[in-house]
Amino acid sequence: QVTPVGDGEQGFVWEFSVRAGFEPFDADCQAMVEAKYSIYLATGLASPAKIPSGNKVIVVDFVTMTQHIEGSSRVRQVRRRGVSAK
C-alpha cells in the first residue's frame, strides 16, 4: 500500500521537469496523481489522467511519463520518486 508523504512511512512524490532539474507537483494534487497512477497500474488503461490544480488542469500521461497543462502544447517529463521519513 502506498502511503502519503509525511506520515512517517515510505511514500512517493511526483515531480515535473524544469530547466534546472525537477520540481514537485503542488501538494494539493500529489495524492490524486498517485491515485490515478495506481489505477493505471491495476487496470492498464492508458488514457491520460486529468488532475485539477488551482485554476489549471494538468494532463498526465503515464505511458510516456509526460504532462502538459490542458490547452498548452508544452510537454514536460514527469517522474515518481520514492521518499523516506526522516
Side-chain angles (χ1 to χ4, degrees):
Q1 177 177 345
V2 175
T3 54
V5 174
D7 67 354
E9 301 290 332
Q10 171 74 29
F12 298 93
V13 63
W14 282 90
E15 300 173 321
F16 61 93
S17 62
V18 294
R19 190 167 292 164
F22 283 84
E23 289 188 8
F25 282 91
D26 288 343
D28 67 343
C29 61
Q30 287 283 341
M32 184 176 291
V33 176
E34 184 64 29
K36 298 281 189 178
Y37 183 66
S38 294
I39 292 168
Y40 164 71
L41 289 178
T43 65
L45 296 178
S47 56
K50 292 187 176 186
I51 312 295
S53 180
N55 61 354
K56 303 176 280 202
V57 175
I58 302 167
V59 181
V60 181
D61 186 329
F62 298 117
V63 174
T64 60
M65 290 300 277
T66 59
Q67 65 94 15
H68 68 275
I69 303 299
E70 198 168 58
S72 170
S73 61
R74 183 174 186 178
V75 176
R76 298 175 185 249
Q77 297 295 310
V78 297
R79 69 180 183 186
R80 179 179 182 252
R81 185 172 55 87
V83 293
S84 298
K86 294 179 181 174

